[in-house]
Amino acid sequence: MQHSPLEVRRAFGLLFIGVAISVGSAAVLSEVAFEHQSPVYQYAIIWIGAFAITFGIILGRYKHILHLIRGRMKNSVKWSHPVKAVNGLCWAAPFAAIGAFPHLYQYLILLGIGMGNASTYTFMKKYSGLANHEQIIVGAVSLVAIPIAVFVDTTFVSNQTVAVIVSRMMIAAAYGAGGIYALLSKK
């Protein structure tokens, strides 16, 4: 059965809203745990729990979206190997660089999300004929957030946790903006 582009866009909207809710709630709960000097293992419980609860609710209510998301992602299977490699590097290289530059991790995460979504949008448009505007919104907001995160980090040097939570909230905002666009889109 062929699904309409609007159905697929809305499925991605739910996915992006789910990521935004998960990241935003986990960022706040992690900060609370940090302030209460919680054991390290509780951070894993917070992050895994935030994603599990959010997506458990979304997938419980909208079971069909996995099929729609998988269908759109299959478009990249048809890309040439060099295009797949460039797209993969746009996603993975900034995250891999965290190992070498752990003190820059909040910027590298924003860079990975920004470059990954922007490259996927570009390649989907060029090679699959799909203009997934919600994806470029996530990428653009993430990339624009980097200088904002740097400003916050350099302004609040004495409180590194402020910079980290602001970066996480910017990730949530980026996915939230893309998700809202997708859910409100008429085409």
Side-chain angles (χ1 to χ4, degrees), residues 71-160:
R72 183 160 109 180
M73 290 179 154
K74 284 184 180 178
N75 285 300
S76 61
V77 172
K78 302 170 191 158
W79 298 347
S80 68
H81 291 297
V83 171
K84 288 180 191 175
V86 169
N87 190 54
L89 281 173
C90 286
W91 279 102
F95 290 100
I98 292 171
F101 307 101
H103 59 287
L104 299 175
Y105 83 94
Q106 67 260 33
Y107 314 125
L108 291 169
I109 291 170
L110 285 165
L111 183 64
I113 292 168
M115 285 178 37
N117 278 288
S119 71
T120 301
Y121 169 83
T122 302
F123 294 142
M124 279 282 198
K125 188 172 183 179
K126 183 172 183 170
Y127 298 111
S128 301
L130 299 171
N132 303 320
H133 299 299
E134 61 277 4
Q135 196 152 28
I136 195 64
I137 290 169
V138 173
V141 172
S142 297
L143 292 172
V144 167
I146 295 170
I148 296 168
V150 170
F151 172 75
V152 169
D153 196 13
T154 56
T155 303
F156 299 102
V157 174
S158 63
N159 194 347
Q160 181 67 24

Side-chain angles (χ1 to χ4, degrees), residues 31-89:
E31 183 59 24
V32 170
F34 177 77
E35 293 298 323
H36 287 92
Q37 300 173 356
S38 298
V40 174
Y41 73 88
Q42 286 187 355
Y43 295 97
I45 292 170
I46 288 169
W47 282 90
I48 293 168
F51 276 87
I53 290 168
T54 302
F55 283 100
I57 292 168
I58 290 171
L59 296 175
R61 175 128 168 90
Y62 304 100
K63 293 176 177 77
H64 69 284
I65 70 167
L66 282 179
H67 177 69
L68 297 170
I69 291 167
R70 202 170 322 143
R72 183 160 109 180
M73 290 179 154
K74 284 184 180 178
N75 285 300
S76 61
V77 172
K78 302 170 191 158
W79 298 347
S80 68
H81 291 297
V83 171
K84 288 180 191 175
V86 169
N87 190 54
L89 281 173

